[in-house]
Amino acid sequence: MLEPEEQEFKSLLEEEDTDTKRPFGKRTDHSLTKCREYLLLGVLLFSQFVALCTDTFLFPFFPQEAKSKGLSHVEIGTIFSSFEFARFVTAPVLGYLFHWISPSRACIAGTALSAVSCVSFGAATYAPNQMFLPLCITIRVLAGSATASLTVSVMTILLKHTTFQTSTIVGFVEMIQGGGYAAGPALGAALQQIGGYSCMFWTLGVLIGVSCLLQIFIVSANVSEKKQSNSSIAMIKIPGVLVLTFHCFILSVLASSRSAGLSNFLSVSFGTEPRTIGLLFGFWSTLYLIGCPPMAKLVNKGFIYTPMVIGCLLCVFMDLLMGPSPLLNFIFQGKRYFDLTVVMRSLSLLSQVAIYVPPFQAAINLAVVNGHEKDSIQTYGMVTGLLNGGLGLGAMVGPIMSGAVTDAADFTWTLTVLSFLDMLILSVLVVYLIWMKITKQPLKPETVKQDT
């Protein structure tokens, strides 16, 4: 008589343990209706998109403006690197501080600071030439800190207060990143033609200000904060989290090195016009944007480490063929092929999706396995802070390394070095997975299905 009831009770327990809508038994704030949840998602992603545009629209125009002020290439590079250095420092520190401060307040403050720094950077062009460099570095440091605050806060709020899975949220954020890199230069070109150099900064600054006002009404009204008792600083002692942070650092070095040198390589090697180069970069960013949703779905089904390993392996060969590498002169006889470079770069962008999206889910899994709370603001904040810090440091190191190798040899040797870095991170990842398998240490909570 009691068997059907017992079976029904067991099935309910199994359903709760393997809930795919709320990973790790995610206790989402049920006061958020589905409509408000999508509104929160839209407002935060819009803020992230505009903030990314304020960074990427500088690339085609600022170097010329800086040269007119008497700045050297090294000084221009320092200005760009200061932004990434601030990201690297701010992201993990803010993730740790979420034990005491509210992510929603950090998000609004970061957005407001981003708006002020954007307008200020445009106004810096009216400063005397001797003041231009220190002003630009100071403003870019503030902008980098603001962007890091916004990124970490947005991901933490969405992870904690929506029903979306971790990989879905990361997919959304990476899509916005691809869209920002694609739209930023085009938007900057349009605004420059309409109102000149300063108009770009003032217009985007106003847009960020509008998104900040929307956050005040949407984010602060909908997001309820609860303090957690445990500290997240112990997360940096987890070997797997450190491996994933190093993974993100190397991948950011690879991505920023390719982007920094590829434009000049196409121009010098094939005589590619600037407009064509711009279209290619927009196409590549669009490929990245398109690839994020399928990868998020794949991670949701439990495939985390397999895409990362396959993506790293493919990038080894793609970086060798993109130049092609001088090591392959016995095949290509020192010749370069435009079509081969474009195809390999396109494929590397798709592989990059498989490498970037899964680490966040993997790091949260490891944090939970090592005793951190399943649905904690501190857990989400520290994970996003550490990994985004690694990405920021890599984005700072990449262009410097690429420029140094290219100056000493040429960009084909830079791509060769990148191929060896692909091998390095692939080896570290494989060795770590084998070690975890041999020592029988879990990579995930038992209630979550994923590949190992």
Side-chain angles (χ1 to χ4, degrees):
M1 293 290 293
L2 297 177
E3 288 182 359
E5 293 181 3
E6 291 178 356
Q7 291 177 356
E8 182 179 359
F9 180 72
K10 289 181 179 179
S11 66
L12 287 173
L13 287 178
E14 291 173 357
E15 182 179 355
E16 181 180 359
D17 286 344
T18 58
D19 185 6
T20 57
K21 294 183 179 178
R22 300 191 184 112
F24 315 136
K26 195 172 180 179
R27 301 180 299 279
T28 303
D29 184 358
H30 294 288
S31 64
L32 294 179
T33 64
K34 204 66 179 176
C35 180
R36 288 184 177 182
E37 187 176 89
Y38 279 105
L39 183 60
L40 177 66
L41 177 70
V43 168
L44 292 178
L45 292 184
F46 173 73
S47 302
Q48 182 82 352
F49 173 76
V50 180
L52 281 169
C53 285
T54 62
D55 178 36
T56 58
F57 85 110
L58 289 175
F59 298 151
F61 310 104
F62 178 71
Q64 288 79 6
E65 181 69 19
K67 287 179 182 178
S68 70
K69 292 286 188 177
L71 268 61
S72 66
H73 289 286
V74 174
E75 290 170 332
I76 294 172
T78 302
I79 292 173
F80 280 110
S81 295
S82 62
F83 178 90
E84 302 298 345
F85 177 76
R87 277 184 61 200
F88 159 65
V89 173
T90 303
V93 171
L94 183 65
Y96 172 66
L97 291 178
F98 280 167
H99 187 70
W100 295 279
I101 65 175
S102 162
S104 60
R105 292 179 181 177
C107 185
I108 293 171
T111 307
L113 182 59
S114 181
V116 172
S117 60
C118 182
V119 174
S120 300
F121 201 81
T125 190
Y126 300 106
N129 288 1
Q130 63 270 22
M131 292 296 298
F132 186 72
L133 177 61
L135 272 177
C136 285
I137 291 176
T138 303
I139 294 170
R140 289 295 284 173
V141 166
L142 293 175
S145 297
T147 300
S149 300
L150 182 59
T151 301
V152 175
S153 301
V154 164
M155 294 187 69
T156 301
I157 292 170
L158 292 178
L159 286 168
K160 173 67 179 176
H161 296 285
T162 67
T163 57
F164 300 108
Q165 288 190 320
T166 301
S167 55
T168 302
I169 292 170
V170 175
F172 280 139
V173 173
E174 290 297 322
M175 282 180 63
I176 290 299
Q177 180 172 335
Y181 276 99
L187 183 61
L191 291 174
Q192 187 190 43
Q193 286 187 346
I194 294 172
Y197 178 79
S198 298
C199 177
M200 300 183 294
F201 298 93
W202 296 337
T203 304
L204 288 175
V206 169
L207 282 177
I208 301 175
V210 170
S211 72
C212 184
L213 292 175
L214 291 174
Q215 286 181 28
I216 292 173
F217 292 104
I218 301 299
V219 177
S220 59
N222 285 338
V223 175
S224 60
E225 308 290 352
K226 292 183 180 179
K227 300 290 183 182
Q228 303 293 335
S229 58
N230 63 324
S231 173
S232 57
I233 192 65
M235 198 176 298
I236 62 175
K237 299 178 182 178
I238 302 174
V241 173
L242 295 179
V243 168
L244 291 169
T245 303
F246 178 70
H247 173 89
C248 288
F249 163 68
I250 294 295
L251 294 179
S252 186
V253 170
L254 295 169
S256 58
S257 296
R258 296 185 193 108
S259 298
L262 192 56
S263 175
N264 187 64
F265 176 73
L266 291 172
S267 177
V268 172
S269 299
F270 309 110
T272 311
E273 296 180 355
R275 185 173 65 176
T276 304
I277 294 174
L279 289 174
L280 285 172
F281 272 79
F283 170 71
W284 290 328
S285 298
T286 304
L287 275 182
Y288 187 82
L289 187 151
I290 293 172
C292 286
M295 180 51 57
K297 289 185 178 181
L298 192 62
V299 174
N300 287 342
K301 292 182 178 180
F303 296 95
I304 295 178
Y305 293 97
T306 299
M308 292 167 63
V309 171
I310 293 175
C312 291
L313 179 61
L314 291 176
C315 283
V316 171
F317 299 101
M318 291 174 191
D319 282 332
L320 286 174
L321 292 170
M322 198 180 302
S325 168
L327 299 179
L328 300 179
N329 280 346
F330 68 96
I331 298 175
F332 296 99
Q333 305 300 321
K335 296 180 180 179
R336 299 172 182 176
Y337 302 92
F338 177 80
D339 292 341
L340 180 63
T341 300
V342 171
V343 170
M344 289 299 106
R345 177 55 176 158
S346 301
L347 293 176
S348 72
L349 258 296
L350 292 176
S351 298
Q352 201 168 299
V353 176
I355 301 172
Y356 267 106
V357 175
F360 288 87
Q361 181 68 70
I364 291 175
N365 285 349
L366 289 168
V368 174
V369 165
N370 284 271
H372 291 266
E373 295 186 35
K374 294 179 179 180
D375 186 37
S376 164
I377 285 176
Q378 286 78 55
T379 300
Y380 294 141
M382 198 63 186
V383 166
T384 57
L386 285 171
L387 298 192
N388 277 289
L391 293 174
L393 180 62
M396 180 182 71
V397 172
I400 298 173
M401 185 200 75
S402 175
V405 177
T406 301
D407 287 343
D410 61 24
F411 189 64
T412 59
W413 276 111
T414 299
L415 292 171
T416 305
V417 172
L418 298 186
S419 180
F420 282 101
L421 287 178
D422 290 320
M423 295 180 194
L424 171 64
I425 191 58
L426 176 63
S427 301
V428 170
L429 190 58
V430 170
V431 168
Y432 170 72
L433 292 174
I434 293 174
W435 174 66
M436 293 292 284
K437 194 75 173 179
I438 292 174
T439 57
K440 297 182 180 180
Q441 298 184 54
L443 293 167
K444 57 180 177 59
E446 292 300 324
T447 57
V448 180
K449 295 179 179 180
Q450 82 177 39
D451 69 319
T452 56

